[in-house]
Every structure is written in C-alpha cells, then in structure tokens.
Amino acid sequence: QVQLVESGGGLVQPGGSLRLSCAASGFTLDHYDIGWFRQAPGKEREGVSCISSRDGTTYYADAAKGRFTISRDNAKNTVYLQMNSLKPEDTAVYYCSTDLSCYSSGYGLWGNPTWGQGTQVTVSS
C-alpha cells in the first residue's frame, strides 16, 4: 500500500523543539520532491517547507525561515522537519505530501493532493 505517515507531533512550550517525520511505504521517497504543510483551525492549509529530489534544493515559507529545517534520509525512506523556537502560531496539524514540485523560490502543487492523517503540533504554555 502506497502511503505517507506523519508522526512526531505533540504539545510543546513556546521556544521548544519538535522533529516531525514523514515515512513512506510502498514506494521510494528519493524519487520525489517532498513538502510539509500545515493547517491551523479555521485557516487554509499552507506550505511550510519542501525539498527536491534532484539536488536537495529546499524552500521555506517566511514563517519557517531560520527556525525549521527539512531533511531527508533516503536509507530510512523518511523526510524530517526539525522545528525549533516554536511559537504558539505554529500550532496546527502538519502534513507531508509528494504531490508537488519544489523550487528554491517555492513549490507547485499537482492538482488536488491526497493528504494523510497528519500530526498535531500544539505550542502552548
């Protein structure tokens, strides 16, 4: 079965860190660009970061720059999002997707991506 499974979310205090994982099964991630997205209550889903399969080019939304780092471990078929200096406004459900092309200036979604269950990140004191 082809699927992506997000994990690593949780409750963290402002200023804390979390590392999210996006594990693939049924296919090899290293052939795909990967993106992390998030959706806060009452808001539209937004792109956070992505990494290309071609040369490792990365993109970060302004809200993520300097605090988040995306990486991929092809041996583990997993992509990570290291999130540091978390803020309450980072609270959201985080999703990963391969239905995109990633560039240093942004990303382009392919049609209507299929989303997994996501992982909840809550930043609160």
Side-chain angles (χ1 to χ4, degrees):
Q1 184 178 2
V2 175
Q3 64 176 350
L4 294 170
V5 178
E6 303 94 342
S7 63
L11 173 63
V12 63
Q13 292 186 343
S17 299
L18 284 173
R19 189 178 78 158
L20 305 184
S21 299
C22 171
S25 61
F27 70 105
T28 304
L29 263 182
D30 60 357
H31 299 308
Y32 294 87
D33 295 2
I34 309 293
W36 280 99
F37 300 79
R38 68 186 183 186
Q39 187 167 22
K43 295 187 177 181
E44 293 188 354
R45 202 184 318 256
E46 62 178 359
V48 175
S49 179
C50 65
I51 185 167
S52 79
S53 61
R54 296 168 300 283
D55 57 7
T57 295
T58 58
Y59 162 79
Y60 296 94
D62 287 344
K65 286 179 182 176
R67 300 188 299 126
F68 294 1
T69 303
I70 191 170
S71 63
R72 60 197 307 158
D73 186 336
N74 291 334
K76 294 184 178 180
N77 216 22
T78 301
V79 171
Y80 302 99
L81 185 68
Q82 177 68 43
M83 305 189 297
N84 300 327
S85 302
L86 283 162
K87 305 174 182 180
E89 51 263 44
D90 294 317
T91 296
V93 179
Y94 284 71
Y95 304 86
C96 59
S97 176
T98 58
D99 295 334
L100 73 154
S101 294
C102 183
Y103 312 97
S104 59
S105 57
Y107 61 89
L109 287 173
W110 303 343
N112 294 314
T114 300
W115 303 103
Q117 85 286 353
T119 186
Q120 175 71 49
V121 171
T122 302
V123 185
S124 175
S125 55

